[in-house]
PDB file of all heavy atoms in Angstrom:
ATOM      1  N   ASN A   9      82.057  86.425  65.568  1.00 67.00           N
ATOM      2  CA  ASN A   9      82.730  85.436  64.740  1.00 67.00           C
ATOM      3  C   ASN A   9      83.453  84.421  65.636  1.00 67.00           C
ATOM      4  O   ASN A   9      84.660  84.504  65.874  1.00 67.00           O
ATOM      5  CB  ASN A   9      83.721  86.136  63.800  1.00 67.00           C
ATOM      6  CG  ASN A   9      84.217  85.214  62.700  1.00 67.00           C
ATOM      7  OD1 ASN A   9      84.114  83.996  62.790  1.00 67.00           O
ATOM      8  ND2 ASN A   9      84.771  85.809  61.657  1.00 67.00           N
ATOM      9  N   GLY A  10      82.681  83.435  66.137  1.00 71.00           N
ATOM     10  CA  GLY A  10      83.223  82.449  67.065  1.00 71.00           C
ATOM     11  C   GLY A  10      84.331  81.601  66.483  1.00 71.00           C
ATOM     12  O   GLY A  10      85.311  81.278  67.168  1.00 71.00           O
ATOM     13  N   SER A  11      84.196  81.207  65.229  1.00 77.00           N
ATOM     14  CA  SER A  11      85.216  80.359  64.603  1.00 77.00           C
ATOM     15  C   SER A  11      86.555  81.086  64.494  1.00 77.00           C
ATOM     16  O   SER A  11      87.618  80.488  64.677  1.00 77.00           O
ATOM     17  CB  SER A  11      84.747  79.908  63.220  1.00 77.00           C
ATOM     18  OG  SER A  11      84.463  81.022  62.380  1.00 77.00           O
ATOM     19  N   MET A  12      86.494  82.385  64.221  1.00 78.00           N
ATOM     20  CA  MET A  12      87.731  83.164  64.122  1.00 78.00           C
ATOM     21  C   MET A  12      88.356  83.365  65.493  1.00 78.00           C
ATOM     22  O   MET A  12      89.584  83.374  65.638  1.00 78.00           O
ATOM     23  CB  MET A  12      87.440  84.513  63.466  1.00 78.00           C
ATOM     24  CG  MET A  12      88.696  85.237  63.023  1.00 78.00           C
ATOM     25  SD  MET A  12      89.657  84.279  61.828  1.00 78.00           S
ATOM     26  CE  MET A  12      91.247  85.099  61.952  1.00 78.00           C
ATOM     27  N   ILE A  13      87.530  83.515  66.522  1.00 82.00           N
ATOM     28  CA  ILE A  13      88.043  83.658  67.883  1.00 82.00           C
ATOM     29  C   ILE A  13      88.760  82.380  68.311  1.00 82.00           C
ATOM     30  O   ILE A  13      89.840  82.424  68.912  1.00 82.00           O
ATOM     31  CB  ILE A  13      86.898  84.010  68.857  1.00 82.00           C
ATOM     32  CG1 ILE A  13      86.395  85.435  68.578  1.00 82.00           C
ATOM     33  CG2 ILE A  13      87.356  83.895  70.303  1.00 82.00           C
ATOM     34  CD1 ILE A  13      85.180  85.836  69.371  1.00 82.00           C
ATOM     35  N   LEU A  14      88.152  81.219  67.982  1.00 85.00           N
ATOM     36  CA  LEU A  14      88.818  79.935  68.281  1.00 85.00           C
ATOM     37  C   LEU A  14      90.129  79.804  67.518  1.00 85.00           C
ATOM     38  O   LEU A  14      91.118  79.275  68.052  1.00 85.00           O
ATOM     39  CB  LEU A  14      87.884  78.766  67.924  1.00 85.00           C
ATOM     40  CG  LEU A  14      86.796  78.424  68.934  1.00 85.00           C
ATOM     41  CD1 LEU A  14      85.910  77.301  68.390  1.00 85.00           C
ATOM     42  CD2 LEU A  14      87.392  78.019  70.277  1.00 85.00           C
ATOM     43  N   PHE A  15      90.147  80.299  66.302  1.00 83.00           N
ATOM     44  CA  PHE A  15      91.365  80.267  65.493  1.00 83.00           C
ATOM     45  C   PHE A  15      92.472  81.097  66.162  1.00 83.00           C
ATOM     46  O   PHE A  15      93.626  80.657  66.251  1.00 83.00           O
ATOM     47  CB  PHE A  15      91.058  80.823  64.095  1.00 83.00           C
ATOM     48  CG  PHE A  15      92.240  80.880  63.172  1.00 83.00           C
ATOM     49  CD1 PHE A  15      92.715  79.723  62.561  1.00 83.00           C
ATOM     50  CD2 PHE A  15      92.888  82.078  62.915  1.00 83.00           C
ATOM     51  CE1 PHE A  15      93.809  79.775  61.702  1.00 83.00           C
ATOM     52  CE2 PHE A  15      93.978  82.143  62.055  1.00 83.00           C
ATOM     53  CZ  PHE A  15      94.441  80.987  61.450  1.00 83.00           C
ATOM     54  N   ILE A  16      92.104  82.278  66.670  1.00 83.00           N
ATOM     55  CA  ILE A  16      93.060  83.132  67.368  1.00 83.00           C
ATOM     56  C   ILE A  16      93.559  82.461  68.643  1.00 83.00           C
ATOM     57  O   ILE A  16      94.758  82.453  68.945  1.00 83.00           O
ATOM     58  CB  ILE A  16      92.423  84.496  67.703  1.00 83.00           C
ATOM     59  CG1 ILE A  16      92.113  85.280  66.425  1.00 83.00           C
ATOM     60  CG2 ILE A  16      93.328  85.309  68.626  1.00 83.00           C
ATOM     61  CD1 ILE A  16      93.335  85.723  65.658  1.00 83.00           C
ATOM     62  N   LEU A  17      92.629  81.860  69.405  1.00 88.00           N
ATOM     63  CA  LEU A  17      93.009  81.167  70.637  1.00 88.00           C
ATOM     64  C   LEU A  17      93.970  80.012  70.341  1.00 88.00           C
ATOM     65  O   LEU A  17      94.913  79.762  71.104  1.00 88.00           O
ATOM     66  CB  LEU A  17      91.772  80.640  71.364  1.00 88.00           C
ATOM     67  CG  LEU A  17      90.828  81.689  71.984  1.00 88.00           C
ATOM     68  CD1 LEU A  17      89.609  81.018  72.588  1.00 88.00           C
ATOM     69  CD2 LEU A  17      91.565  82.495  73.035  1.00 88.00           C
ATOM     70  N   GLY A  18      93.716  79.320  69.235  1.00 89.00           N
ATOM     71  CA  GLY A  18      94.607  78.235  68.837  1.00 89.00           C
ATOM     72  C   GLY A  18      96.009  78.736  68.545  1.00 89.00           C
ATOM     73  O   GLY A  18      96.999  78.128  68.975  1.00 89.00           O
ATOM     74  N   TYR A  19      96.089  79.843  67.834  1.00 84.00           N
ATOM     75  CA  TYR A  19      97.406  80.430  67.532  1.00 84.00           C
ATOM     76  C   TYR A  19      98.112  80.880  68.798  1.00 84.00           C
ATOM     77  O   TYR A  19      99.323  80.720  68.964  1.00 84.00           O
ATOM     78  CB  TYR A  19      97.258  81.602  66.561  1.00 84.00           C
ATOM     79  CG  TYR A  19      97.800  81.307  65.189  1.00 84.00           C
ATOM     80  CD1 TYR A  19      96.951  81.041  64.121  1.00 84.00           C
ATOM     81  CD2 TYR A  19      99.178  81.282  64.964  1.00 84.00           C
ATOM     82  CE1 TYR A  19      97.448  80.767  62.850  1.00 84.00           C
ATOM     83  CE2 TYR A  19      99.685  81.007  63.703  1.00 84.00           C
ATOM     84  CZ  TYR A  19      98.815  80.746  62.650  1.00 84.00           C
ATOM     85  OH  TYR A  19      99.315  80.462  61.408  1.00 84.00           O
ATOM     86  N   VAL A  20      97.349  81.460  69.737  1.00 87.00           N
ATOM     87  CA  VAL A  20      97.931  81.915  71.006  1.00 87.00           C
ATOM     88  C   VAL A  20      98.512  80.739  71.775  1.00 87.00           C
ATOM     89  O   VAL A  20      99.621  80.820  72.331  1.00 87.00           O
ATOM     90  CB  VAL A  20      96.873  82.652  71.849  1.00 87.00           C
ATOM     91  CG1 VAL A  20      97.359  82.856  73.284  1.00 87.00           C
ATOM     92  CG2 VAL A  20      96.531  83.994  71.230  1.00 87.00           C
ATOM     93  N   LEU A  21      97.774  79.610  71.803  1.00 92.00           N
ATOM     94  CA  LEU A  21      98.272  78.420  72.498  1.00 92.00           C
ATOM     95  C   LEU A  21      99.537  77.886  71.839  1.00 92.00           C
ATOM     96  O   LEU A  21     100.475  77.464  72.519  1.00 92.00           O
ATOM     97  CB  LEU A  21      97.192  77.338  72.525  1.00 92.00           C
ATOM     98  CG  LEU A  21      96.152  77.437  73.646  1.00 92.00           C
ATOM     99  CD1 LEU A  21      95.103  76.344  73.490  1.00 92.00           C
ATOM    100  CD2 LEU A  21      96.821  77.341  75.013  1.00 92.00           C
ATOM    101  N   ARG A  22      99.554  77.892  70.513  1.00 90.00           N
ATOM    102  CA  ARG A  22     100.749  77.421  69.805  1.00 90.00           C
ATOM    103  C   ARG A  22     101.960  78.291  70.131  1.00 90.00           C
ATOM    104  O   ARG A  22     103.062  77.793  70.394  1.00 90.00           O
ATOM    105  CB  ARG A  22     100.499  77.407  68.301  1.00 90.00           C
ATOM    106  CG  ARG A  22      99.604  76.263  67.837  1.00 90.00           C
ATOM    107  CD  ARG A  22      99.129  76.451  66.409  1.00 90.00           C
ATOM    108  NE  ARG A  22     100.233  76.458  65.454  1.00 90.00           N
ATOM    109  CZ  ARG A  22     100.071  76.629  64.141  1.00 90.00           C
ATOM    110  NH1 ARG A  22      98.843  76.807  63.657  1.00 90.00           N
ATOM    111  NH2 ARG A  22     101.091  76.611  63.335  1.00 90.00           N
ATOM    112  N   ILE A  23     101.740  79.595  70.141  1.00 88.00           N
ATOM    113  CA  ILE A  23     102.830  80.522  70.470  1.00 88.00           C
ATOM    114  C   ILE A  23     103.291  80.307  71.911  1.00 88.00           C
ATOM    115  O   ILE A  23     104.492  80.253  72.189  1.00 88.00           O
ATOM    116  CB  ILE A  23     102.375  81.978  70.264  1.00 88.00           C
ATOM    117  CG1 ILE A  23     102.169  82.257  68.774  1.00 88.00           C
ATOM    118  CG2 ILE A  23     103.398  82.964  70.844  1.00 88.00           C
ATOM    119  CD1 ILE A  23     101.523  83.600  68.495  1.00 88.00           C
ATOM    120  N   GLU A  24     102.328  80.155  72.831  1.00 91.00           N
ATOM    121  CA  GLU A  24     102.693  79.945  74.232  1.00 91.00           C
ATOM    122  C   GLU A  24     103.483  78.652  74.402  1.00 91.00           C
ATOM    123  O   GLU A  24     104.449  78.599  75.170  1.00 91.00           O
ATOM    124  CB  GLU A  24     101.455  79.930  75.130  1.00 91.00           C
ATOM    125  CG  GLU A  24     101.808  79.796  76.605  1.00 91.00           C
ATOM    126  CD  GLU A  24     100.603  79.876  77.508  1.00 91.00           C
ATOM    127  OE1 GLU A  24      99.475  79.637  77.035  1.00 91.00           O
ATOM    128  OE2 GLU A  24     100.786  80.182  78.706  1.00 91.00           O
ATOM    129  N   GLY A  25     103.067  77.609  73.693  1.00 93.00           N
ATOM    130  CA  GLY A  25     103.787  76.346  73.769  1.00 93.00           C
ATOM    131  C   GLY A  25     105.241  76.488  73.340  1.00 93.00           C
ATOM    132  O   GLY A  25     106.154  75.966  73.994  1.00 93.00           O
ATOM    133  N   LEU A  26     105.462  77.223  72.261  1.00 92.00           N
ATOM    134  CA  LEU A  26     106.828  77.446  71.783  1.00 92.00           C
ATOM    135  C   LEU A  26     107.623  78.317  72.755  1.00 92.00           C
ATOM    136  O   LEU A  26     108.831  78.119  72.944  1.00 92.00           O
ATOM    137  CB  LEU A  26     106.802  78.100  70.402  1.00 92.00           C
ATOM    138  CG  LEU A  26     106.217  77.240  69.267  1.00 92.00           C
ATOM    139  CD1 LEU A  26     106.127  78.046  67.976  1.00 92.00           C
ATOM    140  CD2 LEU A  26     107.084  75.987  69.047  1.00 92.00           C
ATOM    141  N   LEU A  27     106.937  79.268  73.386  1.00 92.00           N
ATOM    142  CA  LEU A  27     107.609  80.159  74.321  1.00 92.00           C
ATOM    143  C   LEU A  27     107.966  79.473  75.633  1.00 92.00           C
ATOM    144  O   LEU A  27     108.743  80.025  76.431  1.00 92.00           O
ATOM    145  CB  LEU A  27     106.722  81.384  74.603  1.00 92.00           C
ATOM    146  CG  LEU A  27     106.533  82.347  73.427  1.00 92.00           C
ATOM    147  CD1 LEU A  27     105.532  83.441  73.783  1.00 92.00           C
ATOM    148  CD2 LEU A  27     107.866  82.978  73.021  1.00 92.00           C
ATOM    149  N   MET A  28     107.421  78.290  75.888  1.00 94.00           N
ATOM    150  CA  MET A  28     107.803  77.528  77.084  1.00 94.00           C
ATOM    151  C   MET A  28     109.098  76.742  76.886  1.00 94.00           C
ATOM    152  O   MET A  28     109.721  76.308  77.852  1.00 94.00           O
ATOM    153  CB  MET A  28     106.684  76.565  77.484  1.00 94.00           C
ATOM    154  CG  MET A  28     105.524  77.222  78.192  1.00 94.00           C
ATOM    155  SD  MET A  28     104.391  76.017  78.877  1.00 94.00           S
ATOM    156  CE  MET A  28     103.133  77.093  79.568  1.00 94.00           C
ATOM    157  N   LEU A  29     109.493  76.575  75.630  1.00 94.00           N
ATOM    158  CA  LEU A  29     110.693  75.783  75.351  1.00 94.00           C
ATOM    159  C   LEU A  29     111.970  76.396  75.936  1.00 94.00           C
ATOM    160  O   LEU A  29     112.831  75.654  76.422  1.00 94.00           O
ATOM    161  CB  LEU A  29     110.837  75.582  73.843  1.00 94.00           C
ATOM    162  CG  LEU A  29     109.714  74.775  73.170  1.00 94.00           C
ATOM    163  CD1 LEU A  29     109.996  74.594  71.686  1.00 94.00           C
ATOM    164  CD2 LEU A  29     109.537  73.421  73.849  1.00 94.00           C
ATOM    165  N   PRO A  30     112.154  77.735  75.919  1.00 94.00           N
ATOM    166  CA  PRO A  30     113.334  78.295  76.568  1.00 94.00           C
ATOM    167  C   PRO A  30     113.431  77.946  78.046  1.00 94.00           C
ATOM    168  O   PRO A  30     114.528  77.713  78.561  1.00 94.00           O
ATOM    169  CB  PRO A  30     113.168  79.804  76.363  1.00 94.00           C
ATOM    170  CG  PRO A  30     112.364  79.927  75.116  1.00 94.00           C
ATOM    171  CD  PRO A  30     111.410  78.777  75.168  1.00 94.00           C
ATOM    172  N   SER A  31     112.299  77.894  78.744  1.00 94.00           N
ATOM    173  CA  SER A  31     112.309  77.510  80.158  1.00 94.00           C
ATOM    174  C   SER A  31     112.756  76.064  80.317  1.00 94.00           C
ATOM    175  O   SER A  31     113.502  75.728  81.252  1.00 94.00           O
ATOM    176  CB  SER A  31     110.921  77.704  80.775  1.00 94.00           C
ATOM    177  OG  SER A  31     110.551  79.066  80.739  1.00 94.00           O
ATOM    178  N   ALA A  32     112.298  75.193  79.407  1.00 94.00           N
ATOM    179  CA  ALA A  32     112.743  73.790  79.437  1.00 94.00           C
ATOM    180  C   ALA A  32     114.243  73.700  79.174  1.00 94.00           C
ATOM    181  O   ALA A  32     114.960  72.897  79.788  1.00 94.00           O
ATOM    182  CB  ALA A  32     111.968  72.982  78.405  1.00 94.00           C
ATOM    183  N   ALA A  33     114.731  74.563  78.261  1.00 95.00           N
ATOM    184  CA  ALA A  33     116.168  74.588  77.951  1.00 95.00           C
ATOM    185  C   ALA A  33     116.971  75.055  79.160  1.00 95.00           C
ATOM    186  O   ALA A  33     118.063  74.533  79.431  1.00 95.00           O
ATOM    187  CB  ALA A  33     116.427  75.504  76.761  1.00 95.00           C
TER     188      ALA A  33
END
Side-chain angles (χ1 to χ4, degrees):
N9 193 342
S11 58
M12 194 60 198
I13 291 174
L14 280 177
F15 179 77
I16 294 293
L17 291 177
Y19 250 105
V20 167
L21 276 177
R22 285 167 63 181
I23 291 171
E24 183 176 21
L26 294 175
L27 291 174
M28 283 190 182
L29 296 182
S31 297

